[in-house]
Amino acid sequence: MYYKFSGFTQRLTGSVSSTAYSPQGLRSSIPSEASTLIFATPTKVISESGASLEYMGANRVPDLQKIFQSSDGIPVHLKRGVPDRLLYRTTMALTVGGALYCLVALYIAAQPKNK
Amino acid sequence: MAHQAHAYHMVDPSPWPLTGAVAALLMTSGLAIWFHFHSTTLMSLGLVLLLLTMYQWWRDIVREGTFQGHHTPPVQKGLRYGMILFITSEVFFFLGFFWAFYHSSLAPTPELGGCWPPTGITTLDPFEVPLLNTAVLLASGVTGTWSHHSLMEGERKQAIQSLTLTILLGFYFTALQAMEYYEAPFTIADGVYGSTFFVATGFHGLHVIIGSTFLAVCLLRQIQYHFTSEHHFGFEAAAWYWHFVDVVWLFLYVSIYWWGS
């Protein structure tokens, strides 16, 4: 019996030998020997990598991850600061104002036309 | 942030379910007010609130998944099941319209002239624009798959270009359908032929517009480096949805445009 890792169930499932020997994501052309281990190399952040990768702008995801992973207790919908608060307050004002306006409009609509 | 010993996503309290519910209330009440008093104020207010809710809710999901790392493998599994169930429900939504079409066309009543297409209806030629539309949608499926494989291989430039092509083909389809509607020799008021035709193809067109928007959001996210070659479920969900829309079109084309004419 041969096994492979199922991407759907996230578990090991049975498979045929050919799949087990060349699993998905691995290319048979890549040599199987591990490269020489190099210790204590300074880690390179993705956004600092070469300009050849920067097609249509630089990668700002690592910076944004830093902002959104800071533990300040602020919920995710307000975490970006002023623009978030502005948008949130506008939406909430429309929600409360709209609900009241709706109740008034429905009350007026419920009044008989001819008394 | 307190230490978490499991891989599940504990969501922050969110205002969006409330604002979305009020948006639905304003839009439905607004529709009734519009019918009775010829004023679209309340309905437009509801629409603006709905759009604001959609933008901010989905923006937060991107933040949670891409920037906070909450979409771990078990969470992604839940998202997959969610998308599969959603598309299944959409399949049944369209099944209803196909049921109506076949109910009316397989045994046409005497009022229709006992034939299909009904007496007096001039149908569209299935081998003109509808066939082109079929080719356009199939081609967009190919470019979408090209984009997906480019993404998995880390070919950023190709992924962006092929996804752009997919979206452009989607818009081309919508433009052709709009033209076809404008030129159609029958209307939605022309009996059961017109109603089944325009309701089924109209809802399909709406789904094409939604799918194109979904793909466009994926393009913007791809340009901003949100997707990695291993983790890009937003893109996969959009691709699933796009293929679903494609398959519905094939059924519409074969049933309504071709067999039905």
Side-chain angles (χ1 to χ4, degrees), chain B residues 65-146:
Chain B
T66 309
F67 303 144
Q68 298 186 319
H70 283 303
H71 292 178
T72 58
V75 173
Q76 282 182 61
K77 202 168 135 187
L79 293 172
R80 272 167 204 279
Y81 280 132
M83 195 65 198
I84 289 168
L85 285 173
F86 169 63
I87 291 179
T88 308
S89 76
E90 292 270 71
V91 168
F92 284 99
F93 176 78
F94 277 99
L95 195 74
F97 300 129
F98 279 103
W99 191 297
F101 171 75
Y102 280 112
H103 175 90
S104 313
S105 60
L106 282 174
T109 57
E111 289 86 341
L112 300 176
C115 57
W116 195 272
T119 312
I121 293 282
T122 316
T123 57
L124 296 165
D125 185 348
F127 299 109
E128 285 179 5
V129 175
L131 184 62
L132 174 62
N133 267 335
T134 307
V136 167
L137 272 195
L138 288 177
S140 78
V142 173
T143 55
T145 306
W146 171 16

Side-chain angles (χ1 to χ4, degrees), chain B residues 187-207:
Chain B
T187 74
I188 197 169
D190 278 332
V192 76
Y193 184 87
S195 31
T196 50
F197 178 90
F198 280 108
V199 170
T201 60
F203 271 117
H204 175 264
L206 177 68
H207 282 74

Side-chain angles (χ1 to χ4, degrees), chain B residues 143-251:
Chain B
T143 55
T145 306
W146 171 16
S147 183
H148 191 196
H149 281 266
S150 307
L151 185 51
M152 288 189 294
E153 300 278 340
E155 296 281 354
R156 175 175 164 77
K157 199 170 178 176
Q158 278 197 49
I160 290 174
Q161 289 171 348
S162 51
L163 188 53
T164 308
L165 205 54
T166 312
I167 296 160
L168 288 177
L169 285 167
F171 285 133
Y172 184 40
F173 176 91
T174 306
L176 284 174
Q177 277 296 79
M179 208 186 71
E180 192 83 326
Y181 272 21
Y182 190 72
E183 305 259 311
F186 50 86
T187 74
I188 197 169
D190 278 332
V192 76
Y193 184 87
S195 31
T196 50
F197 178 90
F198 280 108
V199 170
T201 60
F203 271 117
H204 175 264
L206 177 68
H207 282 74
V208 170
I209 292 167
I210 294 168
S212 308
T213 313
F214 198 172
L215 287 171
V217 170
C218 286
L219 177 63
L220 290 179
R221 293 188 65 197
Q222 165 64 14
I223 290 171
Q224 292 170 33
Y225 296 84
H226 287 197
F227 299 133
T228 69
S229 52
E230 299 292 318
H231 185 177
H232 45 258
F233 181 67
F235 179 92
E236 285 180 36
W240 291 353
Y241 193 80
W242 192 248
H243 284 305
F244 156 73
V245 167
D246 199 351
V247 170
V248 170
W249 171 260
L250 293 180
F251 278 96

Side-chain angles (χ1 to χ4, degrees), chain A residues 14-72:
Chain A
S15 77
V16 292
S17 60
S18 57
T19 322
Y21 278 116
S22 41
Q24 238 186 348
L26 290 182
R27 282 186 238 165
S28 48
S29 58
I30 294 171
S32 54
E33 300 107 52
S35 56
T36 329
L37 286 177
I38 302 164
F39 295 100
T41 312
T43 325
K44 210 174 177 189
V45 185
I46 302 167
S47 60
E48 289 171 4
S49 59
S52 60
L53 286 169
E54 291 184 359
Y55 172 69
M56 293 190 83
N59 185 0
R60 287 186 58 238
V61 170
D63 309 326
L64 289 163
Q65 284 176 332
K66 257 177 232 157
I67 295 171
F68 284 104
Q69 286 178 24
S70 63
S71 40
D72 47 14

